[in-house]
Amino acid sequence: MSAKLDRCQDWAAVMERAYNADTWGQLEAADQYEKLIKSIAASVGSEDWTEPECVFLGKLAQCLKQRVDVLQSPVSKAEMFPKENVHKLIPPLRNLSFELDPKFPPELEKYTKADNNNGVSSATAPLAQYKPGKMLDNEGYAPGDDSGSEDEPEDESGGGGGGGTTNLIVAVSKPGSLLPPIETKKGETRLEIKIEKIGLKDAFAVKETYFTISVKDSTGLDVTPLQETPTCGVREGLYIHFNSTVHIQKALECLPRRFAIFFELKHTKKNESNRVKAWALLEGDELSPSVVCELYKKPTDFKRKKLHLLTTKELFLHLTINRIKAS
């Protein structure tokens, strides 16, 4: 049960991230959906799933494939399988291993079809067309994929990629997707968070770095749109300087109890982009004017249950926070 539960939680996390990307990064979302389908196919072919669970996963794969077709079509046909339908699949997938007789969302049944051709079981027929891929963790990485691994030996000298130098490097910056300040009513408070800099032992070695910023509730679900900073252009010593201002897209008073703001540092490694290098979080009771956040190893734990420090060195994410109250 534990292995299957973990697998479902990982899949649900990948699907949620792909769903979030579906708004602004269609190619990235389609890629994640396809990886998820192949991961499910690999698991169904090698692990002990019950017949009802296989049926559920087969239908889910069919739905995801239809969303991929929508995203990859040169002609807009979103009504064929709207993005909102993907979101409806996340909770039942997360709870799949708890259900003796898992129920597929009835309003989505019309998007699935039974198939029992060529002697393929009706339970796994929807998955049979997909070549099994590698099973993914909750960041969308496959086990053994070192292009997403940052578990490198600590360099106690402070070196590594020129990290101990004081030279300054300025690189070309690419635009992000930061949003403008929100409108607030009288008495409401909007938050501006300036990402000043982040300390890394190999600051000079990482390429095309940027932050993805998300606001989550206590269960790890998004409560505001995702935002991304431009790629950083300045590295100095052990620090990467961003100086990017993030406007939180809900008034402070409207955010749920126990919310947290997540900062995921992403980069390009071995020509693969969007890899998480490190992450940090800021909880609602930590909104001081100047904040220093600890850095954690991936995968990002949006539920805040398993936090593992990235390094024993005194390297942190430095933030400046401005609360602006409407009068």
Side-chain angles (χ1 to χ4, degrees):
M1 172 67 76
S2 177
K4 290 165 68 173
L5 173 61
D6 289 345
R7 182 72 63 212
C8 290
Q9 299 302 308
D10 287 347
W11 285 338
V14 173
M15 190 185 299
E16 186 174 6
R17 292 175 67 81
Y19 169 79
N20 290 332
D22 207 329
T23 302
W24 53 266
Q26 293 186 341
L27 293 179
E28 180 178 340
D31 180 63
Q32 287 298 306
Y33 289 143
E34 287 191 316
K35 286 182 179 179
L36 185 55
I37 293 170
K38 292 178 180 179
S39 178
I40 292 172
S43 180
V44 168
S46 62
E47 297 182 338
D48 187 21
W49 297 92
T50 67
E51 185 84 358
E53 289 170 341
C54 288
V55 171
F56 178 96
L57 292 172
K59 291 179 177 180
L60 182 141
Q62 282 188 302
C63 289
L64 292 182
K65 182 61 172 67
Q66 290 182 60
R67 184 59 192 166
V68 170
D69 290 343
V70 170
L71 294 176
Q72 293 180 341
S73 172
V75 181
S76 177
K77 51 179 182 179
E79 69 281 357
M80 292 184 61
F81 195 85
K83 176 172 71 80
E84 290 71 24
N85 285 350
V86 175
H87 197 260
K88 295 176 183 178
L89 292 167
I90 296 174
L93 173 60
R94 185 175 284 120
N95 296 323
L96 178 61
S97 60
F98 293 110
E99 304 289 342
L100 293 177
D101 185 18
K103 302 297 183 185
F104 197 78
E107 67 272 25
L108 302 184
E109 287 284 358
K110 64 182 179 180
Y111 296 101
T112 67
K113 60 179 182 295
D115 190 1
N116 195 20
N117 297 329
N118 301 321
V120 178
S121 165
S122 60
T124 57
L127 292 168
Q129 61 182 300
Y130 305 111
K131 181 180 179 181
K134 296 179 179 179
M135 289 177 273
L136 310 178
D137 64 16
N138 67 3
E139 283 293 320
Y141 302 141
D145 180 2
D146 72 359
S147 63
S149 174
E150 303 298 341
D151 295 330
E152 301 166 354
E154 288 288 341
D155 181 354
E156 297 301 330
S157 66
T165 182
T166 58
N167 292 335
L168 177 71
I169 288 184
V170 179
V172 176
S173 178
K174 297 179 182 178
S177 60
L178 295 177
L179 298 171
I182 60 171
E183 298 274 344
T184 50
K185 300 177 182 177
K186 184 177 181 179
E188 290 183 339
T189 307
R190 63 183 175 90
L191 288 176
E192 289 183 353
I193 301 177
K194 186 175 182 181
I195 301 175
E196 303 280 0
K197 61 183 179 179
I198 185 172
L200 296 173
K201 67 182 180 64
D202 55 349
F204 274 61
V206 290
K207 301 176 181 178
E208 297 181 356
T209 50
Y210 66 95
F211 275 99
T212 296
I213 302 96
S214 58
V215 184
K216 308 278 187 180
D217 63 16
S218 59
T219 66
L221 296 180
D222 286 303
V223 295
T224 68
L226 293 181
Q227 300 186 60
E228 291 186 343
T229 68
T231 54
C232 168
V234 181
R235 290 164 172 78
E236 187 174 16
L238 294 173
Y239 287 93
I240 305 176
H241 296 261
F242 280 84
N243 296 318
S244 296
T245 299
V246 182
H247 300 281
I248 302 303
Q249 297 297 296
K250 276 190 179 180
L252 179 59
E253 294 79 7
C254 298
L255 293 173
R257 185 171 170 268
R258 294 192 65 238
F259 77 90
I261 304 170
F262 289 81
F263 302 85
E264 296 176 279
L265 180 68
K266 297 181 178 178
H267 68 127
T268 296
K269 184 176 182 180
K270 295 184 179 178
N271 296 322
E272 293 191 35
S273 59
N274 307 320
R275 294 299 193 186
V276 175
K277 172 70 175 177
W279 64 280
L281 67 90
L282 181 66
E283 297 186 314
D285 58 356
E286 299 174 326
L287 300 176
S288 302
S290 182
V291 180
V292 174
C293 300
E294 292 183 316
L295 301 177
Y296 300 106
K297 293 180 180 180
K298 70 174 184 66
T300 312
D301 181 9
F302 294 120
K303 294 185 178 180
R304 297 170 257 171
K305 292 182 178 179
K306 298 178 181 179
L307 309 182
H308 303 287
L309 289 175
L310 178 71
T311 179
T312 57
K313 300 181 187 300
E314 293 187 359
L315 298 172
F316 306 99
L317 172 65
H318 295 255
L319 307 172
T320 300
I321 299 175
N322 190 16
R323 300 188 190 206
I324 304 169
K325 194 150 192 168
S327 56

